[in-house]
Amino acid sequence: MDEKAFQTLVDEFYLEMHYVAKFQKRGEFWFVAALKAGIRENYFLPLLEQIAILEGKSPSFLGRHMNDWLSPFWLNKIQLLFKENDSKEVFALFSELYQEIARKMDFQFDQKRLKKLENLILG
């Protein structure tokens, strides 16, 4: 993953979370569930795969055999995504993932802007 793709993925995650908040507020629970499934696949999975690659592992297609290529540390953390959770927990996990990748790959990101977006979405 190059820095531009990384930045785009992070920015688009915040846009998707905006939609989750918007439609949750409207009571569109079916649509929100579909959005959350897409967020897991389109935003969390690529970051988890990148973490594995940085640790010298080869991820499998669409998260298959994740126990073989993802560290127990991250396996335990991502269980949150399959339980009842609130957006604050999802943001915290996503933030932890992208910060880990940014640190390891020396990518830059505007943490202040992202925190401001998160607060706006959660509000």
Side-chain angles (χ1 to χ4, degrees), residues 11 53 61 69 76:
D11 285 342
I53 290 167
F61 177 71
W69 54 265
N76 288 332

Side-chain angles (χ1 to χ4, degrees), residues 7 10 13-14 19 28 33 36 39 42-43 50 53 68 75-76 79 83 85 87 89 109 111 114-115 120:
Q7 294 287 352
V10 171
F13 167 81
Y14 280 81
Y19 286 122
E28 298 279 349
K36 285 182 175 182
I39 287 169
N42 298 319
Y43 303 102
Q50 188 63 43
I53 290 167
D68 296 336
L75 279 171
N76 288 332
Q79 296 304 312
K83 298 177 182 175
N85 57 53
S87 293
E89 293 172 311
F109 61 93
Q111 180 65 35
L114 295 177
K115 192 62 177 169
L120 179 68

Side-chain angles (χ1 to χ4, degrees), residues 18-29 32 121 123:
H18 166 262
Y19 286 122
V20 167
K22 176 180 175 178
F23 289 103
Q24 232 168 1
K25 185 77 171 170
R26 291 181 181 174
E28 298 279 349
F29 300 109
V32 168
I121 292 166

Side-chain angles (χ1 to χ4, degrees), residues 47-59 69-71:
L47 292 184
L48 293 166
E49 289 173 339
Q50 188 63 43
I51 291 276
I53 290 167
L54 291 170
E55 293 175 350
K57 304 286 177 108
S58 297
W69 54 265
L70 192 61
S71 72

